[in-house]
Amino acid sequence: MPFPIFYLVSDFCYIIVYYVIGYRKKIVKDNLKNAFPNKSKAELIKIEKKFYQHMCDMFLEMIKTLTISHQQLKKRFVYENIEELINFEKQCSGTILMCGHYASYEWATAINFYDTKNKGYAIYKKIKNEYFDKLIKDIRANLGTTLISSKEVIPRMIRNKKSGIGSSYYMIADQSPKKSNSAHWVNFMGRETPAFTGSEAMAKKLDFGILYLQVTKVKRGYYSAKLIPLTASPKDFSDFEITDKFFSLLEEQIYQDPAYYLWTHKRWKYTKENSL
């Protein structure tokens, strides 16, 4: 399907999802209201509508990945400074790319089509439905990425390091941890938020470098990404310092253009007080 028609389909989906179904509207409204208490009702509605339009685009773009050519994807998702990853590959036995649910985190694995040395892996949470689990794997396989489940990631990292296989691991790091695993809390979007610290912990354990993957939506169907080095020596940092820096960078992006963050997540479903 040509992209102009493709986005007309997305516009239709937006009308159904936002006005007819009202998918997770209450969650989105509450999240935006709490994150931006000083914005007017009109401003919040404007962000809300823009978010749903982007969400429909991104969902269909994910499906489009099954048929899009590597050349076209590389044109639509541009890495501005791939040399940062190449430098880390030379310095470290492995690298971790931390990113948030911002802009296009699905197309970010277009990084595999650049002239890098390491084998690319994307970490995902296995879906119980076997059909949808296979669909997700097929979509991301077209991007040249090997998917490994969150339960398999640590053994794979250790095995690759022992075998001398240079690897880069793409991790969405703003996931909400299980209630029992909330060892660290950050001030994120003005609220105390439980933080997933697995990326930092694994980097320290295996002495991997860490970069922040900053994705920006340039215009409809086009994105750019910048790799921001966090550290090539994670053991030099105190506990949770790297995690705090990641959330600070993500928060800065969200404040610049909040519509491109995934507001449908129940990111603040429990507080520090009721987690004890």
Side-chain angles (χ1 to χ4, degrees), residues 22-276:
Y23 174 70
R24 294 200 170 192
K25 239 180 175 182
K26 185 179 186 308
I27 294 170
V28 173
K29 286 181 180 295
D30 288 345
N31 282 341
L32 288 173
K33 186 177 179 181
N34 288 320
F36 304 100
N38 296 323
K39 288 190 180 294
S40 67
K41 184 177 180 180
E43 287 175 313
L44 292 176
I45 291 175
K46 185 177 179 180
I47 295 170
E48 180 183 302
K49 288 182 177 180
K50 188 177 177 182
F51 158 70
Y52 275 96
Q53 289 171 332
H54 167 68
M55 184 183 72
C56 290
D57 280 359
M58 191 175 64
F59 176 75
L60 290 179
E61 285 167 359
M62 181 178 70
I63 303 300
K64 184 76 170 174
T65 306
L66 285 167
T67 57
I68 195 171
S69 71
H70 295 174
Q71 292 79 11
Q72 191 175 41
L73 183 59
K74 192 175 175 181
K75 180 182 176 182
R76 287 178 171 271
F77 196 105
V78 177
Y79 276 85
E80 298 176 10
N81 60 338
I82 197 66
E83 63 275 5
E84 292 291 355
L85 177 59
I86 294 171
N87 289 336
F88 266 58
E89 288 179 344
K90 294 174 182 176
Q91 298 177 60
C92 312
S93 58
T95 57
I96 293 175
L97 281 68
M98 298 175 71
C99 80
H101 285 92
Y102 190 87
S104 178
Y105 43 89
E106 288 292 341
W107 278 5
T109 45
I111 198 168
N112 294 313
F113 308 136
Y114 287 80
D115 190 21
T116 60
K117 182 182 69 174
N118 283 3
K119 181 175 175 60
Y121 294 89
I123 317 307
Y124 86 113
K125 187 174 181 180
K126 188 165 183 165
I127 302 170
K128 290 181 180 179
N129 184 296
E130 291 184 5
Y131 171 79
F132 285 108
D133 190 68
K134 183 181 182 301
L135 177 63
I136 291 295
K137 286 182 177 179
D138 289 345
I139 287 171
R140 292 174 181 171
N142 189 46
L143 299 181
T145 302
T146 300
L147 253 66
I148 48 177
S149 72
S150 52
K151 291 183 179 180
E152 300 168 331
V153 60
I154 294 177
R156 177 64 66 92
M157 283 180 163
I158 294 172
R159 190 162 62 248
N160 282 352
K161 181 166 183 176
K162 285 182 178 179
S163 301
I165 301 172
S167 306
S168 295
Y169 303 90
Y170 170 70
M171 295 186 176
I172 298 178
D174 61 338
Q175 304 275 19
S176 184
K178 291 181 179 179
K179 194 172 181 179
S180 58
N181 295 336
S182 302
H184 181 60
W185 292 73
V186 296
N187 190 307
F188 179 56
M189 303 304 296
R191 303 173 71 181
E192 284 292 314
T193 306
F196 173 73
T197 59
S199 300
E200 177 181 338
M202 287 183 278
K204 286 185 173 182
K205 180 180 177 66
L206 298 171
D207 204 24
F208 285 174
I210 305 182
L211 300 104
Y212 174 64
L213 179 55
Q214 185 184 72
V215 183
T216 304
K217 188 167 187 174
V218 178
K219 61 180 180 179
R220 202 173 200 185
Y222 290 87
Y223 304 86
S224 68
K226 186 177 179 181
L227 292 161
I228 300 175
L230 296 184
T231 179
S233 307
K235 291 179 182 178
D236 293 343
F237 290 79
S238 58
D239 286 347
F240 310 128
E241 191 176 349
I242 297 170
T243 299
D244 288 346
K245 178 63 175 174
F246 160 75
F247 274 98
S248 176
L249 288 168
L250 177 59
E251 183 181 72
E252 185 180 328
Q253 268 197 282
I254 296 170
Y255 279 131
Q256 286 176 358
D257 200 333
Y260 299 138
Y261 189 59
L262 191 63
W263 295 106
T264 48
H265 271 195
K266 293 182 180 180
R267 192 64 187 81
W268 295 277
K269 57 188 173 184
Y270 58 90
T271 65
K272 196 172 186 178
E273 289 71 26
N274 66 26
S275 69
L276 301 176

